[in-house]
Amino acid sequence: MTEIKNFFYILILFSPHLLNSVYSAYYYKCQESYCIKEEITNNTTDPLLSLPECNVLCLDSAGLWPKPTGNVSISNLTEINSSNFIFSPFPNSSIYNLVNKSIEIFRYQINELKPCRFFLKSTSSNLTSVNITLNISDVESNTPKIDTDENYNLTAVFDEENNVIQVTVNSATYFGARHGLETLTQLVVFDDIRNRILLPSNISISDGPKFKWRGIVLDTSRNFITPKAIKRTLKGMAASKLNTFHWHITDTASFPYVSQSRPELSEAGAYSARKVYDDQTVRDIVEYGRVRGIKVVPELDAPAHVGEGWQNTGVLTCFNWTPWGSYCNEPPCGQFDISQSEIFNYLEDIYGDMLDQFGTEIFHMGGDEININCWNNTDTMTDWMVNEKGWNLTKSGFYEAWIYFQQEAQARLWNKAGKDVPIILWSSDLTALDNVTDVLPTENYYIQVWTTADDSAIQTLLNKNYTIILSNYDALYLDCGLSSWVSTGNNWCSPYKGWQTVYDNKPSDIAGNKTSQVLGGEVALWTEQTDSSSVDVRLWPRAAALAETLWTDPSTDYSAAEERMLLHRERLVDLGINADALEPEWCFKYQQHCPSSGVFNV
Amino acid sequence: MTEIKNFFYILILFSPHLLNSVYSAYYYKCQESYCIKEEITNNTTDPLLSLPECNVLCLDSAGLWPKPTGNVSISNLTEINSSNFIFSPFPNSSIYNLVNKSIEIFRYQINELKPCRFFLKSTSSNLTSVNITLNISDVESNTPKIDTDENYNLTAVFDEENNVIQVTVNSATYFGARHGLETLTQLVVFDDIRNRILLPSNISISDGPKFKWRGIVLDTSRNFITPKAIKRTLKGMAASKLNTFHWHITDTASFPYVSQSRPELSEAGAYSARKVYDDQTVRDIVEYGRVRGIKVVPELDAPAHVGEGWQNTGVLTCFNWTPWGSYCNEPPCGQFDISQSEIFNYLEDIYGDMLDQFGTEIFHMGGDEININCWNNTDTMTDWMVNEKGWNLTKSGFYEAWIYFQQEAQARLWNKAGKDVPIILWSSDLTALDNVTDVLPTENYYIQVWTTADDSAIQTLLNKNYTIILSNYDALYLDCGLSSWVSTGNNWCSPYKGWQTVYDNKPSDIAGNKTSQVLGGEVALWTEQTDSSSVDVRLWPRAAALAETLWTDPSTDYSAAEERMLLHRERLVDLGINADALEPEWCFKYQQHCPSSGVFNV
């Protein structure tokens, strides 16, 4: 590499505006809000902007992702001493440790985001320093909640006398301030023409999310996802201002969750003794999320989607019945036999374990994809329905059984929590019942919708006054588009959902004048065909596309976000996430030249 | 994790056949050539096989991938001292260093393939040792060539007196012996019931490939692929007995190849000074492949698919012309202006550099996707055609120009090589010419076919006596199935090609009675939407599916290979490759329960 390096190292000292040595034959120039690559010649009089500099100065909203919802004003890129970020002392309070942790993460990320660290000039003593002050009015809120105020203001002014950029983040909560630091991180740029670190010395940004619930649901049952990969996921979420990690921790295929009170379930149901989430691991992940402004919401899916782990409990039916197509949607089959009242003792114990680890803010009870044929072929269940409950064996009789289960499980959850914990359920035949609001009161239940955006069930739920969370599979299921694993052809929800589809899945297009009832949304990664090897590639940068749609509620479509999306993908890679490449790097360097409808390709 | 570990550690000492402690509640039993999971109870009298043991004893061909083509006989799994593989001294020769390197890799892989290394019992002194002897008749062939004899025999016998398993690999060449060691590696299994390392003490395998050319074409131009990721790719190839790494090293989007004689091309055309393949890197990759039985074949695609790097040479036309849809298939556009004879001087120099680094066995000249509209809009080119060459500006005139280019380029290549190096070209309008055999003599040219399996052009080429290499995009393009990057919807060759599709793409189905003219095939990974972050996930384990199709030429379809495919995917992961997950781990543990047509799901 020596020779080519030398070429790039040539000092081109031909132009009077050029005080530093130049390590490139190209520079960028802002044109129509895009950065255009230009050759450096003897006649060049433009400022020699590097691409990262140009992106901040030229792109929509300074290239930030997600795009801020309030004012963005940025100017005066200034070379800084990136080893010299000085944070004002933060008063002792219940968020003191969180703030310190965030500062540590900020410093770490600045370091990771510097490409070519080895190229950096040695720090000269007269470079501008950066002082950062966090003004947080509520110093007691130390746990991310649904209603957490995530707004922040970020300003920077240049103090010429002291040669310092004074950065201030004002926010109601730690969680707003944390977002402010993420934004600041994105404004620290590496100038690869002169090998310098720069920050705008003039910043004024006001920002806050349009939707409260911005998340990822990750399945850790079909395949085990290592705690390390989960933390990597949380890292990417924090960098993209996503705030909800919905952990679909168990399902029929495996039971990796180590219940403190019922350890026999993971002993029988984990893929191996090493593929479990024990108490310490769970608490570690919850804390890792909390520091990054992410609430970790556990899902204990029932009464379907149960199997492994429950084999010897006497409360399971249809487990591994064949042909599976008759008793469930994918192998292995398994549902609770609701006639076995012991189920609820198990559940109450597990709920207790989970509430203790995850908190009592909200709980996901799953509740999807009941197969009536399974229950109808379970003698203990049908006997009990007919003889003890007086329910018939028609659809409505089985729905009675399902309602009975949900209400009893709910009672156990609330009993254990000592309060009426809000509950999330997946949309299902249950949530489609005419009398659903009697069964699942709208003040207690959120419905997570997973059918298509145009499913009339969504309007029905909204009309019944439910608050909903969008995970419509036609845009937000990130496992689609692979080959089928149970048959020939492609998997059920093919085709692949590109970032464009994720981005353009606007809540207001789906909910219309009931958009205020949309709490937010989640991309879903079901892991039948994903494990720790591919979780990054499947999630990123597509989950970041959702992040902007829900944070910003943009009025434009994906095409206006393309350059910023490519830029944000690079940020994720710099953080150690194997985010997928969306386009040739060429398109990143020649903005708007690739889309057939691009500004510079017409 | 302590509690659950303890559970698995319980010593179950109830059965007379059980000499060691047992760390599992389950074992496996062979039934209809599949391994069935069973609970260990007080009444269990079966041998307590772990899944890895059962896979070797029960699955088709001992679970080997690719499946051997000759006899496979395996028995007597024996606990061995895995730190004590003793290789017989190998005579000094031109393959001495290769053999030693292979032994080093073997030891390393055995170590990587041991799961739960920390669980392993301390080595007891009376464990069986393994002696390995390599008998290679041709000790001079030290470079993988098209006609290299890759056959091998692998045997193991137990020497009771010395408590040693004597393993012998017989082969004509180092490259056959190397395959033998890969096979042996796959037969070393970790028994996770008793935490032991085992090897069959009775092995008799004769094996060799059905097709000579088994490869991957990787594009390193649309996005840069790090040398580290390329080596990881070669590692996976060696483990799957693929033998050809076709390196599509340059294209219009970037020119990362550092030509020793024309360094200005990568200086102008690499994405950055760090994103290049310099001389040392290229030689390092070629050597890394050679040790692993992989020939590295360079492709210098021309006269289309050129652009970045050539900007200032005067031989380029249409570069970055817009709208790109009028002048090429994807942005940026770029072709050689054939009227500029200086092209050939450039090419001859680069050919010289490449022949020196990659050898003179074979050379890929690309030659696909000429856009006539580009040439027709290049005045220097049309003037030259009409005035100097007397060719008209119809299709056939432009084909004349193309033929002229190819013949001149070929002359320069052969001149530099000092011999008639065999050439590969992609199928194109050129290879579809009626008089193609005059232009591209069948004794000098191989044609790599990329159109669909049912394209009549394939039969035409076969009838004209060409030897072909299959890369038909409807089965072997691994970049398909993502969203489009230039427009809306999915990318051009969607849907995704599952491993099943790759596996079932049988040369004999395509070539019929001309199958002997199929040299082999390559999966293709074009990297418009892939870079080092996702190259593993896209390639693996699908490239391994191709490996078996070409090595084994199986008479059965993918469904008969499913368990072995899942098993081989785990091997790739153990080697540090982010191979994609194909199914829930549950399906790996409950064999034939997942496919709706599976043996145990009927």
Side-chain angles (χ1 to χ4, degrees):
Chain A
M1 216 152 91
T2 320
E3 274 135 311
I4 190 145
K5 250 197 236 163
N6 290 343
F7 173 83
F8 280 90
Y9 275 5
I10 291 169
L11 305 187
I12 310 176
L13 289 164
F14 47 74
S15 170
H17 67 264
L18 190 56
L19 299 172
N20 286 292
S21 46
V22 164
Y23 300 88
S24 171
Y26 299 94
Y27 73 103
Y28 285 83
K29 171 175 184 171
C30 189
Q31 192 180 324
E32 303 188 39
S33 295
Y34 295 105
C35 296
I36 304 304
K37 192 176 174 186
E38 302 277 358
E39 210 167 334
I40 300 175
T41 70
N42 285 326
N43 304 322
T44 304
T45 55
D46 296 320
L48 300 184
L49 293 180
S50 64
L51 180 55
E53 286 174 280
C54 182
N55 283 334
V56 163
L57 297 175
C58 178
L59 285 184
D60 180 17
S61 301
L64 293 168
W65 193 281
K67 180 173 152 168
T69 50
N71 173 63
V72 175
S73 158
I74 303 273
S75 60
N76 298 351
L77 274 176
T78 306
E79 182 170 5
I80 58 166
N81 177 350
S82 65
S83 318
N84 208 10
F85 286 96
I86 303 156
F87 281 81
S88 306
F90 195 80
N92 208 346
S93 67
S94 74
I95 60 170
Y96 181 78
N97 290 335
L98 285 175
V99 167
N100 282 337
K101 190 77 194 152
S102 239
I103 292 171
E104 195 183 300
I105 293 168
F106 174 81
R107 290 189 198 282
Y108 175 81
Q109 296 199 168
I110 293 295
N111 213 44
E112 292 299 295
L113 291 168
K114 278 181 221 165
C116 328
R117 279 192 291 284
F118 56 91
F119 278 150
L120 267 188
K121 295 184 306 186
S122 59
T123 307
S124 97
S125 58
N126 57 0
L127 285 181
T128 303
S129 295
V130 182
N131 281 2
I132 303 175
T133 305
L134 306 180
N135 294 321
I136 301 174
S137 50
D138 169 3
V139 293
E140 296 309 316
S141 296
N142 61 9
T143 308
K145 297 183 185 298
I146 299 172
D147 281 322
T148 291
D149 184 334
E150 297 179 277
N151 297 293
Y152 69 92
N153 286 299
L154 172 67
T155 58
V157 291
F158 188 52
D159 170 353
E160 206 156 347
E161 193 179 345
N162 298 304
N163 193 22
V164 164
I165 298 174
Q166 177 57 51
V167 174
T168 308
V169 180
N170 292 310
S171 67
T173 68
Y174 163 75
F175 303 100
R178 203 211 63 79
H179 289 318
L181 287 179
E182 292 289 353
T183 300
L184 184 63
T185 304
Q186 296 188 7
L187 295 173
V188 178
V189 296
F190 176 75
D191 163 13
D192 57 7
I193 289 187
R194 290 183 198 78
N195 292 340
R196 304 176 304 172
I197 301 283
L198 306 164
L199 180 73
S201 62
N202 185 6
I203 302 175
S204 173
I205 295 175
S206 62
D207 195 12
K210 291 294 177 71
F211 291 92
K212 290 178 188 307
W213 189 279
R214 307 177 307 277
I216 289 175
V217 46
L218 182 65
D219 166 12
T220 60
S221 169
R222 273 57 173 261
N223 276 303
F224 183 75
I225 307 292
T226 61
K228 196 172 156 187
I230 291 177
K231 286 187 182 175
R232 225 165 41 233
T233 301
L234 293 170
K235 194 156 70 163
M237 292 177 68
S240 309
K241 301 191 175 87
L242 289 166
N243 67 5
T244 306
F245 180 67
H246 165 181
W247 193 351
H248 185 87
I249 194 164
T250 65
D251 208 294
T252 34
S254 77
F255 197 102
Y257 174 71
V258 181
S259 160
Q260 293 304 100
S261 48
R262 301 283 191 163
E264 64 270 29
L265 296 172
S266 52
E267 284 161 6
Y271 281 132
S272 84
R274 291 172 303 128
K275 294 186 173 174
V276 293
Y277 305 107
D278 64 11
D279 184 54
Q280 195 189 319
T281 303
V282 168
R283 290 182 192 278
D284 190 30
I285 286 170
V286 170
E287 177 63 12
Y288 195 92
R290 186 176 75 104
V291 168
R292 288 162 180 77
I294 298 162
K295 57 185 171 304
V296 180
V297 178
E299 175 182 353
L300 187 69
D301 202 351
H305 291 281
V306 290
E308 288 286 342
W310 298 94
Q311 298 97 323
N312 302 317
T313 59
V315 305
L316 186 64
T317 183
C318 312
F319 182 58
N320 200 5
W321 282 11
T322 60
W324 58 256
S326 303
Y327 307 104
C328 61
N329 290 344
E330 71 178 49
C333 297
Q335 289 184 187
F336 281 143
D337 172 353
I338 292 179
S339 66
Q340 309 300 315
S341 60
E342 186 59 19
I343 297 172
F344 301 104
N345 298 329
Y346 272 101
L347 290 179
E348 185 163 346
D349 283 348
I350 303 171
Y351 294 152
D353 297 332
M354 288 187 166
L355 292 165
D356 189 47
Q357 294 163 329
F358 295 93
T360 57
E361 171 75 357
I362 193 154
F363 196 89
H364 203 305
M365 299 181 78
D368 56 321
E369 297 191 310
I370 275 295
N371 182 299
I372 286 181
N373 196 43
C374 156
W375 276 347
N376 205 11
N377 282 279
T378 303
D379 291 345
T380 44
M381 174 105 177
T382 50
D383 288 353
W384 168 80
M385 283 175 65
V386 173
N387 301 325
E388 288 202 30
K389 291 292 180 178
W391 296 329
N392 60 38
L393 299 180
T394 62
K395 229 177 194 184
S396 69
F398 287 105
Y399 288 160
E400 288 295 336
W402 191 353
I403 292 168
Y404 165 83
F405 171 84
Q406 182 56 37
Q407 294 190 329
E408 187 62 25
Q410 168 201 298
R412 299 301 188 100
L413 175 74
W414 289 358
N415 181 49
K416 210 71 187 187
K419 70 172 200 184
D420 294 1
V421 177
I423 294 167
I424 311 176
L425 284 183
W426 290 104
S427 57
S428 68
D429 290 342
L430 188 70
T431 67
L433 292 177
D434 285 343
N435 64 339
V436 59
T437 53
D438 300 337
V439 178
L440 312 170
T442 57
E443 64 270 31
N444 302 120
Y445 281 86
Y446 297 93
I447 310 300
Q448 184 165 9
V449 174
W450 65 275
T451 50
T452 56
D454 62 1
D455 183 356
S456 63
I458 298 177
Q459 278 307 323
T460 307
L461 287 165
L462 291 169
N463 290 338
K464 285 179 172 167
N465 221 26
Y466 280 105
T467 299
I468 67 169
I469 295 166
L470 292 174
S471 290
N472 49 304
Y473 77 77
D474 53 342
L476 301 181
Y477 271 30
L478 303 187
D479 52 319
C480 309
L482 299 165
S483 58
S484 171
W485 54 280
V486 289
S487 186
T488 53
N490 289 89
N491 67 11
W492 73 275
C493 58
S494 289
Y496 183 85
K497 315 305 174 202
W499 77 272
Q500 303 94 327
T501 302
V502 175
Y503 192 92
D504 287 348
N505 189 62
K506 306 278 169 66
S508 56
D509 291 343
I510 296 170
N513 62 7
K514 306 254 184 216
T515 302
S516 62
Q517 284 167 241
V518 179
L519 192 64
E522 296 175 4
V523 287
L525 184 53
W526 306 107
T527 56
E528 285 88 351
Q529 294 168 284
T530 297
D531 68 6
S532 307
S533 291
S534 50
V535 66
D536 289 18
V537 170
R538 298 264 192 282
L539 281 175
W540 304 106
R542 292 186 291 166
L546 176 84
E548 175 151 310
T549 297
L550 296 179
W551 178 279
T552 312
D553 195 15
S555 55
T556 46
D557 74 4
Y558 79 86
S559 62
E562 187 161 329
E563 276 70 25
R564 289 185 303 104
M565 175 87 278
L566 297 180
L567 179 56
H568 192 63
R569 183 263 171 183
E570 296 303 314
R571 291 183 193 123
L572 295 167
V573 171
D574 285 341
L575 290 174
I577 295 164
N578 282 326
D580 211 352
L582 298 176
E583 302 183 13
E585 185 171 338
W586 193 88
C587 306
F588 183 57
K589 304 209 163 194
Y590 288 81
Q591 299 183 352
Q592 288 287 304
H593 285 66
C594 287
S596 47
S597 58
V599 172
F600 302 114
N601 185 40
V602 284
Chain B
M1 215 152 91
T2 320
E3 273 136 313
I4 192 145
K5 250 196 235 164
N6 288 345
F7 173 84
F8 280 89
Y9 274 3
I10 290 167
L11 306 187
I12 310 177
L13 290 163
F14 46 74
S15 169
H17 66 263
L18 188 56
L19 298 174
N20 284 293
S21 47
V22 164
Y23 300 88
S24 171
Y26 299 95
Y27 72 104
Y28 284 82
K29 174 176 183 170
C30 189
Q31 193 181 321
E32 303 187 39
S33 295
Y34 295 105
C35 295
I36 304 302
K37 191 176 175 185
E38 301 276 358
E39 209 167 335
I40 300 175
T41 70
N42 285 328
N43 303 321
T44 304
T45 56
D46 296 319
L48 300 186
L49 292 180
S50 63
L51 180 56
E53 286 175 281
C54 182
N55 283 333
V56 162
L57 297 175
C58 179
L59 286 184
D60 180 16
S61 301
L64 293 168
W65 193 280
K67 182 172 153 169
T69 50
N71 173 62
V72 175
S73 159
I74 303 275
S75 60
N76 297 350
L77 274 176
T78 305
E79 181 171 6
I80 58 166
N81 177 349
S82 64
S83 319
N84 209 9
F85 286 96
I86 302 158
F87 281 81
S88 306
F90 195 81
N92 207 345
S93 67
S94 75
I95 61 170
Y96 180 77
N97 289 335
L98 284 175
V99 167
N100 283 338
K101 189 75 195 155
S102 239
I103 291 170
E104 195 183 299
I105 293 168
F106 174 82
R107 290 190 198 281
Y108 175 82
Q109 294 197 170
I110 293 295
N111 212 44
E112 291 299 296
L113 291 169
K114 280 180 218 163
C116 329
R117 279 190 293 281
F118 56 91
F119 278 149
L120 267 187
K121 294 184 307 187
S122 58
T123 309
S124 99
S125 58
N126 57 0
L127 285 181
T128 303
S129 293
V130 182
N131 282 2
I132 304 174
T133 305
L134 307 181
N135 294 321
I136 301 173
S137 50
D138 168 3
V139 294
E140 297 307 318
S141 296
N142 61 9
T143 308
K145 296 182 185 298
I146 299 172
D147 280 322
T148 291
D149 183 335
E150 299 179 277
N151 296 292
Y152 69 93
N153 286 300
L154 172 67
T155 59
V157 292
F158 188 52
D159 170 354
E160 206 157 347
E161 194 179 341
N162 297 304
N163 193 25
V164 163
I165 299 174
Q166 177 58 51
V167 174
T168 309
V169 180
N170 292 309
S171 66
T173 67
Y174 163 74
F175 303 100
R178 203 211 63 81
H179 290 318
L181 287 179
E182 291 288 353
T183 301
L184 184 63
T185 304
Q186 296 188 8
L187 294 172
V188 178
V189 296
F190 175 76
D191 163 13
D192 57 8
I193 290 186
R194 291 184 200 78
N195 292 340
R196 305 176 303 172
I197 301 281
L198 305 164
L199 180 73
S201 63
N202 186 5
I203 302 175
S204 173
I205 294 174
S206 61
D207 195 12
K210 291 293 177 68
F211 291 92
K212 291 177 187 306
W213 188 278
R214 308 178 305 280
I216 290 175
V217 46
L218 182 65
D219 165 13
T220 59
S221 168
R222 272 59 174 258
N223 276 302
F224 184 75
I225 307 292
T226 62
K228 196 172 158 189
I230 291 176
K231 286 187 181 175
R232 226 165 41 233
T233 302
L234 294 169
K235 193 155 72 163
M237 291 177 67
S240 308
K241 301 190 174 86
L242 290 167
N243 67 4
T244 306
F245 179 68
H246 164 180
W247 194 350
H248 184 86
I249 195 165
T250 65
D251 209 293
T252 33
S254 77
F255 197 101
Y257 174 71
V258 181
S259 159
Q260 293 305 100
S261 49
R262 300 283 191 163
E264 64 269 30
L265 296 172
S266 53
E267 284 161 8
Y271 281 134
S272 83
R274 290 172 304 128
K275 293 187 173 173
V276 294
Y277 306 108
D278 63 12
D279 184 54
Q280 194 188 317
T281 303
V282 168
R283 290 183 192 277
D284 189 31
I285 286 170
V286 170
E287 177 63 12
Y288 194 93
R290 185 176 76 106
V291 168
R292 287 162 182 79
I294 298 162
K295 57 185 170 303
V296 180
V297 178
E299 175 183 352
L300 186 70
D301 202 350
H305 291 282
V306 291
E308 288 285 343
W310 298 93
Q311 298 97 322
N312 303 315
T313 59
V315 304
L316 186 64
T317 184
C318 312
F319 182 57
N320 200 7
W321 282 11
T322 60
W324 56 257
S326 304
Y327 307 103
C328 61
N329 289 344
E330 71 179 49
C333 297
Q335 290 184 188
F336 281 143
D337 172 352
I338 292 180
S339 66
Q340 309 301 315
S341 60
E342 185 59 20
I343 298 173
F344 302 104
N345 297 328
Y346 272 100
L347 289 178
E348 184 162 346
D349 283 347
I350 303 172
Y351 294 152
D353 297 332
M354 288 186 166
L355 292 166
D356 188 48
Q357 293 163 330
F358 294 94
T360 58
E361 172 75 357
I362 192 155
F363 196 89
H364 203 305
M365 297 181 80
D368 55 322
E369 297 191 311
I370 275 293
N371 183 298
I372 286 180
N373 196 43
C374 156
W375 277 345
N376 205 11
N377 282 279
T378 303
D379 292 344
T380 44
M381 174 105 178
T382 50
D383 287 353
W384 168 82
M385 286 175 64
V386 173
N387 301 326
E388 289 202 28
K389 292 292 180 178
W391 296 328
N392 60 38
L393 299 180
T394 63
K395 231 177 194 183
S396 69
F398 287 104
Y399 289 159
E400 287 296 336
W402 191 353
I403 292 168
Y404 165 83
F405 171 84
Q406 182 57 36
Q407 294 190 328
E408 185 63 24
Q410 167 200 299
R412 299 300 188 101
L413 175 74
W414 289 358
N415 180 50
K416 208 73 188 186
K419 69 172 199 182
D420 294 1
V421 176
I423 294 167
I424 312 175
L425 284 182
W426 290 103
S427 58
S428 68
D429 289 342
L430 188 70
T431 68
L433 292 177
D434 284 344
N435 64 337
V436 60
T437 52
D438 300 335
V439 179
L440 312 170
T442 58
E443 64 269 32
N444 301 121
Y445 281 86
Y446 297 94
I447 310 299
Q448 184 164 9
V449 173
W450 65 274
T451 51
T452 58
D454 62 1
D455 183 357
S456 63
I458 299 177
Q459 277 308 320
T460 306
L461 286 165
L462 291 169
N463 290 338
K464 287 181 172 166
N465 220 27
Y466 280 106
T467 299
I468 66 169
I469 295 166
L470 292 173
S471 289
N472 50 304
Y473 79 77
D474 52 342
L476 301 181
Y477 270 30
L478 303 187
D479 53 318
C480 309
L482 298 166
S483 59
S484 170
W485 56 280
V486 288
S487 185
T488 54
N490 290 91
N491 65 11
W492 73 276
C493 59
S494 290
Y496 182 86
K497 315 305 174 201
W499 77 272
Q500 304 94 327
T501 302
V502 175
Y503 192 92
D504 287 349
N505 189 62
K506 306 279 170 65
S508 56
D509 292 343
I510 296 170
N513 62 5
K514 306 258 185 211
T515 301
S516 63
Q517 285 168 238
V518 178
L519 192 64
E522 296 175 5
V523 288
L525 184 52
W526 305 109
T527 56
E528 285 88 350
Q529 294 169 285
T530 296
D531 69 5
S532 306
S533 291
S534 49
V535 65
D536 289 19
V537 170
R538 298 266 191 280
L539 281 175
W540 304 106
R542 293 185 290 167
L546 175 84
E548 176 151 309
T549 297
L550 296 179
W551 179 279
T552 311
D553 195 14
S555 56
T556 46
D557 73 5
Y558 79 87
S559 62
E562 185 160 332
E563 277 69 24
R564 289 185 303 102
M565 176 88 278
L566 297 180
L567 179 55
H568 192 63
R569 184 262 170 183
E570 295 303 314
R571 291 183 193 122
L572 294 168
V573 171
D574 286 342
L575 289 175
I577 294 164
N578 282 326
D580 210 353
L582 298 176
E583 301 183 13
E585 184 170 339
W586 193 89
C587 305
F588 183 58
K589 304 210 163 195
Y590 289 82
Q591 299 182 353
Q592 288 287 305
H593 284 67
C594 287
S596 47
S597 58
V599 171
F600 302 114
N601 184 40
V602 284

